[in-house]
Amino acid sequence: MARETWQTIRDRLAAEILSGALAPGAQLPTEPDLCARFAAGRHSVRRAIAALAVEGKLRVEQGRGTFVESAPLINYQISRRTRFRQNLLSQGVTPAGEQVTDDVIPAPRRVADALSLPEGTSVHRLMRRGLADGVPVSLGVAYHPFALFPDMADLRRSGRSVTDIYRSHGIADYLRKSTTIYARRPTVEEARLLKQHPDQPVLVVTKTDVDLTGRPIGYSQAIWAADRVQFTFDLPEENEIRSPDQDD
């Protein structure tokens, strides 16, 4: 069966990315230039670029252009006290975080249940974006009891990690009670914040933090760009509590 023009364009660009002829972070020529280079129409060029974006090889930024994906693949090791910052630093990747929104809300049922609170109890809701070498890799929405951590939002905005904030409130150590991981398509806003194609999947990780007495102190949902992370699970010792972390 004859190959369609867009498939030929896709494969040639993919080969150039693999060989390094198109380096990570490089901007592709404009659409008219690509049409001229491949003697093809706009539809074929756009379909090829869309296919490579879904595969995670290209990143299309509205108003800026199309770039070769430069995000590092994070090997996120799940262990009893593993933190986002530690995971990245151990791989020579620079971690960073940005506060997107924060407010105080009445806890919806799922949040209240996870934190063992009456429904409607005031909780912090903080949304942050995690970056690896400046590239977005995750979005996280975390909930913490307002009564336990009244200054949580202010301290997070100032750059303090969750671990440091817990310590400042007398919680020297904490564990992960539960973890759930599943895949889905991102919302339009999630794809925009992660700078990925909306047809590319994300991995959703929900977790609950507990102190050493078992009291829930935090509940969060992290949305990871699926092509930028892989999770490695260590086999836990008996009664150990393990989960990935997004928000340190």
Side-chain angles (χ1 to χ4, degrees):
M1 181 180 294
R3 294 176 61 76
E4 294 189 41
T5 302
W6 74 268
Q7 293 173 314
T8 300
I9 298 171
R10 177 200 61 192
D11 292 348
R12 287 178 62 182
L13 290 174
E16 292 178 15
I17 293 169
L18 181 63
S19 70
L22 284 172
Q27 185 171 6
L28 260 64
T30 64
E31 187 177 275
D33 288 341
L34 289 172
C35 289
R37 175 187 170 187
F38 292 107
R42 289 179 181 268
H43 175 75
S44 294
V45 168
R46 289 174 182 172
R47 189 171 178 184
I49 288 175
L52 290 170
V54 171
E55 293 174 13
K57 293 182 174 69
L58 294 178
R59 183 178 72 255
V60 180
E61 296 188 18
Q62 193 67 33
R64 292 195 63 222
T66 302
F67 300 84
V68 178
E69 183 57 80
S70 58
L73 177 64
I74 305 302
N75 181 30
Y76 203 100
Q77 189 161 1
I78 309 306
S79 61
R80 191 177 187 188
R81 293 177 174 84
T82 299
R83 312 291 187 242
F84 178 79
R85 183 173 299 274
Q86 293 170 350
N87 257 301
L88 270 62
L89 288 174
S90 68
Q91 298 172 66
V93 177
T94 301
E98 301 173 338
Q99 194 95 329
V100 179
T101 60
D102 63 73
D103 53 8
V104 176
I105 64 167
R109 179 176 295 277
R110 66 181 174 85
V111 174
D113 288 347
L115 295 175
S116 298
L117 297 172
E119 186 175 357
T121 302
S122 292
V123 294
H124 289 284
R125 179 177 61 183
L126 302 96
M127 181 176 183
R128 289 178 64 84
R129 180 164 64 168
L131 300 101
D133 286 345
V135 178
V137 292
S138 62
L139 299 171
V141 181
Y143 301 87
H144 301 275
F146 182 83
L148 285 180
F149 313 106
D151 53 357
M152 173 66 78
D154 291 338
L155 293 176
R156 288 298 275 153
R157 280 195 300 270
S158 73
R160 295 277 296 277
S161 72
V162 169
T163 299
D164 286 343
I165 296 170
Y166 285 165
R167 288 188 185 126
S168 71
H169 287 273
I171 300 170
D173 199 1
Y174 65 102
L175 306 173
R176 300 293 187 260
K177 179 182 178 182
S178 63
T179 303
T180 302
I181 302 177
Y182 62 93
R184 63 167 170 78
R185 290 181 62 175
T187 66
V188 172
E189 181 65 4
E190 288 167 352
R192 184 187 70 82
L193 289 170
L194 288 171
K195 295 185 178 180
Q196 71 170 52
H197 194 279
D199 288 336
Q200 238 179 331
V202 292
L203 292 172
V204 182
V205 180
T206 62
K207 65 182 180 66
T208 303
D209 292 342
V210 296
D211 64 18
L212 297 187
T213 70
R215 175 183 59 169
I217 55 177
Y219 169 75
S220 68
Q221 182 181 77
I223 298 98
W224 290 82
D227 67 314
R228 300 172 193 168
V229 66
Q230 62 182 19
F231 294 116
T232 300
F233 290 84
D234 291 336
L235 292 176
E237 299 294 333
E238 187 177 0
N239 297 326
E240 276 194 343
I241 304 172
R242 296 170 180 266
S243 165
D245 180 68
Q246 184 272 335
D247 53 12
D248 270 3

